[in-house]
């Protein structure tokens, strides 16, 4: 790949079963950005490993971005507010400011991603009004902050997040949208190696919830590892309530337990099999009709 424009959103350690260690992963990013064409642009998240910018060819512009000027980037958002299912924000950057952008896909991480997308549009000379219309029209992708059922202040959301930093961003965004509401999170770890490598990070991010329900690890391509189970994460979670359940128990609880305001299913395995069944249960309970 030899792009004119490249965005690097994250260099967090992940897929270490493939890369071996974080340094090897970061080195792959260095190889990638080194192939940006002269005269091109690297748009780099301020939280990513900044040493990869040293690998770009002469004449490649580097634009760093983040959520606030305090973080040091030249492209940033401010006046970020959560209203309903939408996030509103102003963009400030080297190619011009754009005020009152409205994003129908909530989440601070989605605002951050949209900053990068917007500067790509600006590099292609997209005008301010067209840019604002495009941001407002974006509806996201399946299993990324996907609202499944809503009824007043009751809501069920599904998300593919499977890395601690993704989960942290997702849950902090839910908290911003529904302050003071009781949050139940059902999480299915994906891969034994990822669970082993990031158990403390998973526990810390999941502890943002009021209640955490853990499913067994989804193995995908891996064989079990001795001593690596969902209990490795569960034991470190500090949320007020936590438990290990089966899918059947999750469904039974949804039918009988109304102690939560916000329900979130999270993970990259086969947890999505629960979504249509939970949708039907909660539609009947909250809306009084078959889905």
């Amino acid at each position: 790949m030899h792009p004119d424009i490249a965005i690097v959103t994250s260099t967090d350690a992940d897929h270490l079963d493939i890369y071996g260690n974080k340094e090897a992963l970061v080195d792959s990013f260095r190889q990638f950005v080194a192939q940006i064409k002269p005269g091109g642009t690297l748009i780099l998240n301020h939280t990513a490993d900044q040493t990869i910018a040293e690998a770009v060819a002469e004449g490649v512009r580097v634009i760093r971005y983040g959520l606030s000027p305090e973080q040091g980037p030249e492209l940033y958002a401010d006046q970020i507010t959560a209203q309903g299912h939408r996030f509103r924000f102003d963009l400030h950057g080297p190619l011009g400011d754009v005020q009152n952008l409205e994003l129908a896909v909530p989440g601070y991480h989605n605002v951050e991603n949209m900053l990068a997308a917007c500067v790509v549009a600006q590099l292609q000379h997209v005008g301010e009004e067209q840019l604002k219309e495009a941001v407002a029209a974006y509806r996201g992708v399946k299993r990324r902050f996907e609202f499944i059922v809503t009824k007043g202040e009751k809501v069920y959301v599904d998300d593919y997040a499977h890395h601690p930093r993704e989960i942290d961003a997702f849950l902090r965004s839910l908290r911003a949208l529904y302050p003071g509401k009781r949050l139940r999170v059902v999480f299915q770890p994906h891969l034994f190696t990822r669970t082993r490598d990031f158990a403390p990070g998973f526990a810390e991010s999941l502890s943002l919830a009021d209640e955490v329900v853990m499913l067994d690890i989804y193995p995908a391509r891996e064989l079990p590892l001795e001593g690596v189970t969902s209990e490795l994460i569960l034991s470190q979670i500090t949320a007020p309530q936590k438990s290990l359940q089966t899918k059947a128990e999750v469904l039974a609880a949804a039918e009988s337990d109304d102690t939560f305001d916000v329900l979130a299913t999270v993970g990259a395995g086969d947890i999505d099999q629960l979504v249509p069944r939970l949708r039907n249960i909660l539609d009947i309970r909250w809306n009084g009709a078959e889905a």
Side-chain angles (χ1 to χ4, degrees):
M1 299 174 66
H2 297 269
D4 296 291
I5 301 171
I7 301 171
V8 175
T9 62
S10 171
T11 56
D12 288 343
D14 200 3
H15 298 285
L16 298 185
D17 56 319
I18 305 298
Y19 289 98
N21 55 54
K22 182 174 181 178
E23 181 56 33
L25 181 146
V26 171
D27 187 60
S28 73
F29 278 101
R30 293 191 187 102
Q31 294 175 46
F32 168 58
V33 303
Q35 296 179 170
I36 300 172
K37 296 176 184 177
T41 305
L42 168 62
I43 303 166
L44 180 62
N45 192 297
H46 81 103
T47 65
D49 190 307
Q50 298 300 299
T51 65
I52 71 170
E54 299 168 5
V56 300
E58 186 176 352
V60 172
R61 182 179 188 180
V62 179
I63 298 175
R64 291 173 173 83
Y65 72 99
L67 282 183
S68 70
E70 288 77 16
Q71 297 169 333
E74 56 184 316
L75 171 66
Y76 63 91
D78 68 1
Q79 303 299 320
I80 303 172
T81 58
Q83 299 177 11
H85 291 175
R86 299 174 181 271
F87 268 47
R88 292 183 171 86
F89 63 98
D90 295 343
L91 177 153
H92 300 276
L95 301 180
D97 298 347
V98 183
Q99 296 184 332
N100 298 318
L101 288 161
E102 184 175 290
L103 180 61
V105 183
Y108 292 110
H109 53 304
N110 286 319
V111 172
E112 198 169 47
N113 289 340
M114 188 56 78
L115 285 174
C118 284
V119 81
V120 171
Q122 289 179 316
L123 286 166
Q124 300 304 304
H125 309 294
V126 174
E128 180 175 330
E129 289 307 312
Q130 187 179 2
L131 183 60
K132 293 172 73 170
E133 290 172 5
V135 172
Y138 178 64
R139 291 296 178 269
V141 295
K142 189 172 181 63
R143 300 215 65 224
R144 285 298 193 183
F145 227 119
E146 184 179 5
F147 287 89
I148 306 298
V149 184
T150 58
K151 175 64 174 179
E153 294 187 343
K154 294 277 192 180
V155 63
Y156 166 35
V157 187
D158 181 48
D159 197 273
Y160 186 75
H162 56 281
H163 186 278
R165 189 159 173 259
E166 293 177 337
I167 295 169
D168 182 88
F170 172 61
L171 296 186
R172 288 187 186 281
S173 298
L174 272 181
R175 287 298 197 192
L177 285 170
Y178 303 103
K181 300 301 179 182
R182 180 172 173 78
L183 171 60
R184 174 185 294 172
V185 174
V186 181
F187 176 60
Q188 181 187 47
H190 185 266
L191 299 179
F192 293 101
T193 54
R194 185 180 284 125
T195 302
R196 176 198 65 196
D197 294 338
F198 303 118
F202 279 124
E204 182 178 0
S205 59
L206 289 166
S207 294
L208 292 168
D210 298 295
E211 179 183 357
V212 179
V213 177
M214 296 285 300
L215 299 177
D216 285 335
I217 297 170
Y218 184 78
R221 58 187 177 270
E222 295 183 339
L223 295 174
L225 295 174
E226 185 177 354
V228 180
T229 68
S230 292
E231 179 64 33
L232 193 62
I233 298 172
L234 187 69
S235 63
Q236 301 179 64
I237 290 173
T238 60
Q241 278 188 260
K242 58 182 181 179
S243 60
L244 179 64
Q245 297 184 19
T246 65
K247 293 188 182 74
E249 289 171 328
V250 170
L251 293 170
E255 289 181 327
S256 61
D257 181 3
D258 204 30
T259 60
F260 61 88
D261 302 303
V262 180
L263 173 66
T265 45
V266 182
D270 63 359
I271 192 172
D272 63 313
Q273 295 176 1
L274 285 175
V275 175
R277 299 175 71 180
L278 285 169
R279 175 194 289 120
N280 192 55
I281 290 168
L282 296 176
D283 245 338
I284 293 170
R285 293 194 65 197
W286 295 349
N287 297 318
E290 290 284 349

